[in-house]
Amino acid sequence: EYTVTYVEGLYGDLMGKGSETVREHTKPKNVPTVTAHEGYTFAGWSIDKETLVRPETVVIKENTVFLAMYEDEDGKLIPGDKVTNISQVPELNKADHMAYMFGDDNGTFRPDASITRAEVVALLARLLKDPMPQSFNVRSRFPDVDPDKWYAQSVAYMEQFGVVSGYPDGTFGPENTISRAEFVTLLSRFAQTELTDRQLFPDVPLDHWAAIHINSASLKGWIDGYPDGGFHPNDPITRAQAAKLINKLLEREPDKAYIDAHQDTLRQFPDLTNDHWAYYDCIEAVNAHQFRREQSGEAWLGKE
């Protein structure tokens, strides 16, 4: 059996269930209707965001997502999940040094804990130059992204930019731990790729699925290997490692002198002490602050 998902998008309302279970080599039977919002006309369903199809005529051989398509007042065909007022190239906000990582309900930071795919996507969504509109309410194309989960809208929004990719079976695995290779690949979509024909890590051969992105990140100075010289692409990335990498991507640099002098006023965590290798990068990630650029690096001017 496979899951067939119907995504109405931004420009209409779904009348009926948003998904159904369909046996292999059979056709959907419970296709919902769509009521378009003012200024739009529901045109039909699509699998590839271009060609209109009738779901009840499609033989299902895998998990399938049908996306509602609309025509605007000019007759232009628009995919339902397309946000028309944002850039199609994802840009991160490098001008405002906002806090982008937080502690847990127990008041700890867990710097050496892993981080899930959904947590990373939600984190990056907060850092976009074009923030997610408050009115955004779109069902994700991934059948395993529950629309009622806290991360559902962040995942759906990031899909607009082509940043989010799933597994070969069509799922996203939102609560799966993200690996170092997956994390670097995701970040690389926000920057120009640097190419090399050299193998930079012994455990990342040139035919590795993420080699281009890992090598590019190394050439940019985002990442270092382990003492054994390897990158360990399949290891889960830790929260501390993620903070250091994101700071590199955002061109953010902790002001160690300011942090040392203002220990009592900055957000701290009992499990994040200043002898941790990534202490300063984590403090950069959890404290919003004003700053200025100096030749010696970033100078903090105070908390926001």
Side-chain angles (χ1 to χ4, degrees):
E1 293 185 338
Y2 294 106
T3 300
V4 173
T5 305
Y6 302 96
V7 179
E8 72 275 29
L10 291 170
Y11 310 110
D13 297 313
L14 204 65
M15 310 300 290
K17 292 185 177 180
S19 65
E20 63 175 305
T21 300
V22 179
R23 297 174 67 179
E24 187 175 16
H25 298 304
T26 64
K27 302 172 185 178
K29 296 180 180 179
N30 302 307
V31 182
T33 59
V34 175
T35 301
H37 296 166
E38 185 177 357
Y40 297 92
T41 303
F42 174 63
W45 299 98
S46 180
I47 295 175
D48 61 5
K49 298 189 180 185
E50 294 180 357
T51 308
L52 296 179
V53 297
R54 294 174 57 201
E56 61 270 23
T57 67
V58 177
V59 176
I60 300 301
K61 301 176 183 178
E62 60 186 352
N63 291 331
T64 304
V65 176
F66 291 101
L67 176 66
M69 302 288 286
Y70 300 86
E71 287 186 358
D72 62 15
E73 293 179 331
D74 296 325
K76 181 180 179 181
L77 195 64
I78 300 174
D81 66 349
K82 180 181 176 66
V83 182
T84 57
N85 61 344
I86 62 173
S87 167
Q88 292 307 295
V89 178
E91 289 186 70
L92 296 176
N93 183 352
K94 298 180 180 181
D96 302 311
H97 284 200
M98 64 190 78
Y100 63 85
M101 295 185 80
F102 306 93
D104 59 20
D105 293 338
N106 297 319
T108 57
F109 185 73
R110 299 179 299 118
D112 300 315
S114 60
I115 186 168
T116 68
R117 288 163 60 85
E119 287 173 330
V120 171
V121 170
L123 184 160
L124 292 172
R126 290 194 292 269
L127 288 170
L128 287 179
K129 199 171 184 179
D130 291 308
M132 182 169 64
Q134 291 185 348
S135 60
F136 187 81
N137 184 20
V138 171
R139 184 187 294 266
S140 169
R141 293 173 58 85
F142 296 109
D144 60 337
V145 175
D146 185 336
D148 294 326
K149 291 288 189 179
W150 65 269
Y151 52 74
Q153 292 305 306
S154 294
V155 173
Y157 187 64
M158 294 295 271
E159 289 174 37
Q160 318 300 313
F161 300 97
V163 168
V164 176
S165 59
Y167 294 111
D169 66 357
T171 61
F172 178 64
E175 298 181 21
N176 292 353
T177 297
I178 192 167
S179 70
R180 287 168 54 83
E182 290 173 330
F183 187 81
V184 169
T185 298
L186 182 57
L187 292 196
S188 72
R189 297 190 172 118
F190 294 90
Q192 185 173 352
T193 301
E194 293 191 22
L195 300 176
T196 179
D197 58 1
R198 294 184 296 117
Q199 182 174 339
L200 302 184
F201 298 100
D203 55 351
V204 184
L206 292 178
D207 60 355
H208 187 281
W209 69 268
I212 290 176
H213 307 298
I214 293 170
N215 289 341
S216 178
S218 178
L219 292 171
K220 291 176 184 293
W222 292 358
I223 58 174
D224 300 307
Y226 283 89
D228 65 3
F231 178 68
H232 300 190
N234 297 325
D235 286 358
I237 196 161
T238 68
R239 287 167 54 82
Q241 291 170 343
K244 184 176 180 66
L245 252 168
I246 292 172
N247 286 342
K248 292 279 191 181
L249 177 64
L250 295 173
E251 300 171 5
R252 289 174 60 160
E253 183 180 354
D255 183 342
K256 296 181 180 180
Y258 183 97
I259 292 171
D260 288 340
H262 296 82
Q263 294 279 319
D264 295 338
T265 61
L266 294 173
R267 182 176 296 152
Q268 305 277 353
F269 298 93
D271 62 336
L272 180 63
T273 56
N274 60 8
D275 59 350
H276 189 282
W277 70 269
Y279 169 74
Y280 292 102
D281 274 298
C282 293
I283 293 299
E284 169 79 35
V286 300
N287 286 277
H289 54 274
Q290 297 176 331
F291 72 100
R292 69 168 176 262
R293 300 282 185 194
E294 296 184 348
Q295 279 191 334
S296 58
E298 178 182 320
W300 286 23
L301 303 178
K303 290 180 61 179
E304 287 190 346

